[in-house]
Amino acid sequence: MSKKKPAFKISDTLRAYLIEYDREESIPLSYEDMKRWSDSLPVIDANGNDTLWRSVMYPQMDQEEIFNGLREIYALLKTDGDTSIINHLKISRIEYCLFGNSNPFRIKIVNMINDNHDYFYIKKADASRVYGLELEHILSPNRMSYIVDGNTLVEDHIAGIPGDVFMESYMENSNFYPVGMAKEFVKFNERCFIMLLGDMRSYNYVVDVTPDFDKEQYRARTIDFDQLCYEGRKNFYKPQFYKENMKIVQFCMETLTPETVFQYQHEERTLMKKRYHVARTRLTNLLNSMHDDVLSTDAKRDSLKKELNEYHLTDKFSNCETMGQVLRLHLDLMLGKPKPKKPDVLATYKV
């Protein structure tokens, strides 16, 4: 799989879509402004390991401008620009990521009244990532909050336990509900494949844990959308094939039968199909803007077309000229799969 994906420019049609659906806003700082830091320190985790994030510091003459701009951006993200909420907020820490495609800045913002804190991110805008955020917002059970301005992308924090940490420690927790997590991973795997969202290694998604009255509920949520419709292999869009997820894949194989896996896959496709129908106009506009965009290389596109032709037992993908056209056809075929065969004998109930 590609180690470093190039950033793709946001096209005029995607920009028009973002404006129409209030995703485009004018913000006081750009990604380039954030790079004016003068010094940095490594961020070390609780076990003494380097996280590959750097805590950055700005020159005194720039710091006030940067901090005020970040508070205004947070107000835009959370309250549609109502700046009356920012007087009691302070910027506690700014960290810069040394790896990944988007090299994000992570901003920690603190409420001085009650010491509650929150995070948001500033990244380089990339068409692949923006399309991924929108598809996640429309087709998944998760709502996404973000802002685009020129070549700058602002994203809200997605809360949860990182997948690698979850597998390392949380699965040994006494409250852990094995069947619930196995079911969710199957559904997550199906969502990623339907949306052609790749690179879902364990550190690129989080697990949101919700206590319920009798057991815990789990939701796997992607936090990395850079590899949408980029790779040329079908299996790169299925989290089950990454060695980093092997522990949970093995666990799913031991916990679930093939019949229940098929059931959960069908459940997820049904839910996504319902969301598709609810937001049909919006999704159609998004796919129209994606139709002619360059989101990968010709070699990767042709390779994926061949594999999807074999998977869907068709030759329709051969006519696709862009990854946007491949995704539109793949969505139609995946969400249009026939319902499971009904049983010949209906249940009867006796008094």
Side-chain angles (χ1 to χ4, degrees), residues 177-189 240 248-265 267:
Y177 179 48
V179 176
M181 187 59 220
K183 173 184 177 180
E184 174 55 23
F185 189 80
V186 170
K187 286 172 163 277
F188 176 63
N189 192 75
Q240 71 186 83
I248 201 165
V249 171
Q250 193 68 37
F251 165 78
C252 289
M253 292 170 64
E254 295 168 358
T255 307
L256 302 177
T257 64
E259 291 80 10
T260 52
V261 169
F262 177 77
Q263 174 199 335
Y264 298 146
Q265 288 173 327
E267 282 181 15

Side-chain angles (χ1 to χ4, degrees), residues 39-239:
D39 202 1
S40 68
L41 294 170
V43 177
I44 307 300
D45 67 15
N47 298 318
N49 300 316
D50 190 346
T51 62
L52 300 182
W53 287 80
R54 305 283 298 186
S55 181
V56 300
M57 289 149 279
Y58 292 86
Q60 194 64 38
M61 60 182 181
D62 293 334
Q63 182 170 297
E64 186 176 357
E65 175 194 347
I66 295 286
F67 282 17
N68 286 338
L70 290 173
R71 293 194 304 160
E72 290 181 29
I73 290 172
Y74 185 76
L76 279 168
L77 194 63
K78 295 292 187 177
T79 62
D80 202 24
D82 182 0
T83 55
S84 64
I85 71 157
I86 66 175
N87 294 329
H88 58 280
L89 300 178
K90 71 172 183 179
I91 304 301
S92 172
R93 191 164 66 238
I94 302 174
E95 295 166 343
Y96 176 69
C97 184
L98 299 176
F99 67 97
N101 293 311
S102 56
N103 294 121
F105 287 89
R106 179 170 61 196
I107 293 88
K108 181 179 181 181
I109 191 162
V110 177
N111 185 322
M112 292 185 290
I113 296 174
N114 56 21
D115 206 32
N116 186 39
H117 68 269
D118 196 5
Y119 295 94
F120 65 99
Y121 300 81
I122 294 183
K123 307 178 180 181
K124 292 180 286 188
D126 172 28
S128 302
R129 188 170 188 90
V130 173
Y131 279 124
L133 285 163
E134 272 300 300
L135 281 169
E136 180 80 358
H137 183 80
I138 296 169
L139 291 176
S140 85
N142 311 306
R143 303 283 71 81
M144 309 304 296
S145 178
Y146 69 93
I147 297 170
V148 178
D149 182 14
N151 293 320
T152 302
L153 172 65
V154 180
E155 279 184 44
D156 201 1
H157 178 63
I158 299 173
I161 304 170
D164 52 349
V165 177
F166 186 88
M167 280 184 274
E168 245 178 68
S169 56
Y170 199 88
M171 289 171 67
E172 309 302 324
N173 192 305
S174 59
N175 294 327
F176 179 61
Y177 179 48
V179 176
M181 187 59 220
K183 173 184 177 180
E184 174 55 23
F185 189 80
V186 170
K187 286 172 163 277
F188 176 63
N189 192 75
E190 193 73 359
R191 283 199 298 274
C192 291
F193 181 53
I194 289 172
M195 294 189 289
L196 293 182
L197 180 58
D199 198 17
M200 281 303 106
R201 288 172 282 189
S202 56
Y203 47 79
N204 284 334
Y205 62 88
V206 297
V207 180
D208 184 9
V209 182
T210 304
D212 205 351
F213 74 97
D214 64 340
K215 59 185 182 301
E216 290 182 336
Q217 301 285 349
Y218 307 102
R219 171 75 56 79
R221 297 192 60 180
T222 178
I223 56 174
D224 190 339
F225 300 90
D226 293 333
Q227 298 279 350
L228 181 90
C229 293
Y230 179 69
E231 293 297 346
R233 296 285 305 280
K234 168 179 63 69
N235 287 349
F236 285 156
Y237 299 105
K238 293 187 174 187

Side-chain angles (χ1 to χ4, degrees), residues 279-305:
R280 183 190 295 272
T281 301
R282 181 170 184 162
L283 183 59
T284 299
N285 290 342
L286 181 69
L287 293 173
N288 285 344
S289 70
M290 198 177 186
H291 187 271
D292 295 320
D293 271 6
V294 175
L295 298 173
S296 187
T297 66
D298 291 346
K300 290 180 183 294
R301 181 202 62 213
D302 292 342
S303 172
L304 184 61
K305 284 161 53 175

